[in-house]
C-alpha cells in the first residue's frame, strides 16, 4: 500500500469539497485529522477536539446532549483505523447500496429503462388494438414479434449494465479504496490535512457510542 501522491491528494480535496460543502472549516485549520468526521451516536452532532487530547460531543459541550462520548483522540483514531482495516480485509461482510450515477452508467440505465417502459406501453396498446378488431391476427403477430425482440434486447442491455456493478465487484472496489486511504492514515509523514481529506474521501458517515464501545462507518465511494 502507498499514500496519495500530490495529484491524487488534489483530486480527493475536490471530492471532499463536493461531498461536505465549501462552508466546512479549512483543513489547514484543523487541530486533528478526525475533526468533523466522527459523530455522536445519540444526537448526531460532531465530536469536537477538546483540550488536552480528547474528543467530546459538540452538543454535550453546549448542554444539548446527555452523552459526552468522551474519548482520547489517539484511542478514537486507533479504533477508526482498526474498523477500516477490518472492513478492507472482510469486504464480504459489508452491506452495499448501489446508486447509479453518470460515472457508472446511470444515464444509460435511465435511458434504457425509459425505452423499456415505452416499448411495454406500445405492446399494451397493440394488444388493445387487436382485441378491438383494429388489427387482424397476421398484422398483430408481426408487430408483436418485433416489439418482443426489441424488449428482449433492451432487457439484455440493462442486465449487462447492472452486472458491471454487482455487489461483489463493488465490495472489491471498496476494499481497494479503503486500503489506499489506510496507507495515508498510517503514514507517519502524512500531514493532518492529507489524513483528514483521505478519510473524508471515503467516509460518508461515522458514529461513536461510548456506552457500547462501537464505531460504525458508512462509506460513500463514487466509481
Amino acid at each position: 500500500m502507498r499514500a496519495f501522491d500530490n495529484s491524487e491528494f488534489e483530486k480527493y480535496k475536490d471530492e471532499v469539497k463536493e461531498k461536505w460543502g465549501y462552508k466546512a472549516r479549512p483543513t489547514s485549520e484543523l487541530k486533528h485529522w478526525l475533526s468533523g468526521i466522527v459523530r455522536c451516536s445519540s444526537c448526531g452532532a460532531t465530536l469536537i477536539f477538546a483540550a488536552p487530547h480528547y474528543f467530546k460531543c459538540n452538543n454535550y459541550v453546549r448542554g444539548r446532549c446527555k452523552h459526552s462520548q468522551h474519548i482520547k483522540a489517539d484511542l478514537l483514531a486507533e479504533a477508526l483505523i482498526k474498523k477500516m482495516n477490518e472492513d478492507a480485509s472482510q469486504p464480504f461482510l459489508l452491506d452495499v447500496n448501489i446508486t447509479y450515477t453518470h460515472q457508472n452508467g446511470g444515464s444509460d440505465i435511465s435511458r434504457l429503462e425509459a425505452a423499456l417502459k415505452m416499448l411495454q406501453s406500445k405492446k399494451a396498446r397493440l394488444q388493445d388494438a387487436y382485441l378491438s378488431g383494429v388489427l387482424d391476427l397476421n398484422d398483430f403477430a408481426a408487430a408483436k414479434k418485433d416489439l418482443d425482440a426489441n424488449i428482449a434486447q433492451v432487457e439484455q442491455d440493462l442486465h449487462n449494465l447492472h452486472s458491471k456493478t454487482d455487489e461483489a465487484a463493488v465490495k472489491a472496489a471498496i476494499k481497494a479504496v479503503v486500503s489506499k486511504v489506510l496507507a495515508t492514515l498510517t503514514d507517519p509523514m502524512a500531514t493532518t490535512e492529507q489524513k483528514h481529506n483521505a478519510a473524508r474521501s471515503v467516509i460518508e458517515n461515522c458514529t461513536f457510542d461510548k456506552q457500547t464501545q462501537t464505531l460504525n462507518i458508512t462509506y460513500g465511494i463514487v466509481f
Side-chain angles (χ1 to χ4, degrees):
M1 293 187 283
R2 64 180 180 83
F4 299 134
D5 60 29
N6 288 336
S7 62
E8 291 173 322
F9 177 57
E10 290 301 320
K11 174 185 175 184
Y12 280 109
K13 284 177 67 177
D14 291 339
E15 291 178 355
V16 168
K17 287 179 181 179
E18 182 178 350
K19 180 187 294 186
W20 297 84
Y22 287 84
K23 294 183 179 180
R25 176 180 295 181
T27 53
S28 58
E29 299 179 8
L30 296 176
K31 297 178 180 179
H32 194 282
W33 65 266
L34 274 175
S35 296
I37 291 178
V38 184
R39 294 182 175 275
C40 170
S41 62
S42 177
C43 71
T46 55
L47 302 192
I48 59 173
F49 188 67
H53 304 293
Y54 287 88
F55 273 96
K56 295 181 180 179
C57 170
N58 193 23
N59 276 345
Y60 178 82
V61 173
R62 289 166 170 72
R64 297 195 292 261
C65 181
K66 297 180 179 180
H67 303 276
S68 70
Q69 308 296 9
H70 189 269
I71 183 173
K72 285 186 176 181
D74 57 348
L75 293 180
L76 182 61
E78 289 174 7
L80 185 138
I81 290 173
K82 179 182 178 181
K83 181 68 170 66
M84 291 181 71
N85 264 311
E86 291 173 352
D87 292 339
S89 62
Q90 304 179 68
F92 55 88
L93 296 178
L94 296 173
D95 292 327
V96 174
N97 181 21
I98 302 172
T99 300
Y100 292 96
T101 64
H102 177 72
Q103 289 93 332
N104 61 11
S107 58
D108 290 332
I109 289 175
S110 297
R111 174 179 56 79
L112 288 171
E113 286 178 341
L116 181 60
K117 185 176 181 180
M118 181 188 70
L119 289 169
Q120 290 171 336
S121 178
K122 287 180 67 175
K123 185 176 179 180
R125 292 198 301 272
L126 180 69
Q127 181 77 21
D128 290 340
Y130 171 66
L131 293 176
S132 63
V134 176
L135 292 176
D136 61 25
L137 180 58
N138 290 334
D139 290 339
F140 168 74
K144 181 177 180 299
K145 182 179 180 180
D146 288 340
L147 280 172
D148 285 341
N150 289 333
I151 288 173
Q153 182 60 58
V154 172
E155 289 176 338
Q156 182 61 51
D157 291 343
L158 277 170
H159 173 75
N160 292 340
L161 281 173
H162 283 297
S163 64
K164 290 180 181 179
T165 49
D166 62 15
E167 285 199 12
V170 169
K171 289 179 179 181
I174 291 174
K175 175 182 177 179
V177 175
V178 172
S179 295
K180 194 170 185 179
V181 169
L182 281 167
T184 296
L185 299 184
T186 56
D187 182 357
M189 301 301 292
T191 65
T192 296
E193 184 178 8
Q194 288 174 320
K195 290 183 178 182
H196 179 82
N197 282 293
R200 272 196 160 173
S201 70
V202 296
I203 296 176
E204 185 171 294
N205 186 54
C206 179
T207 59
F208 171 66
D209 189 327
K210 182 179 180 181
Q211 184 175 357
T212 60
Q213 291 294 300
T214 56
L215 191 70
N216 294 312
I217 300 175
T218 300
Y219 300 102
I221 300 174
V222 178
F223 300 102

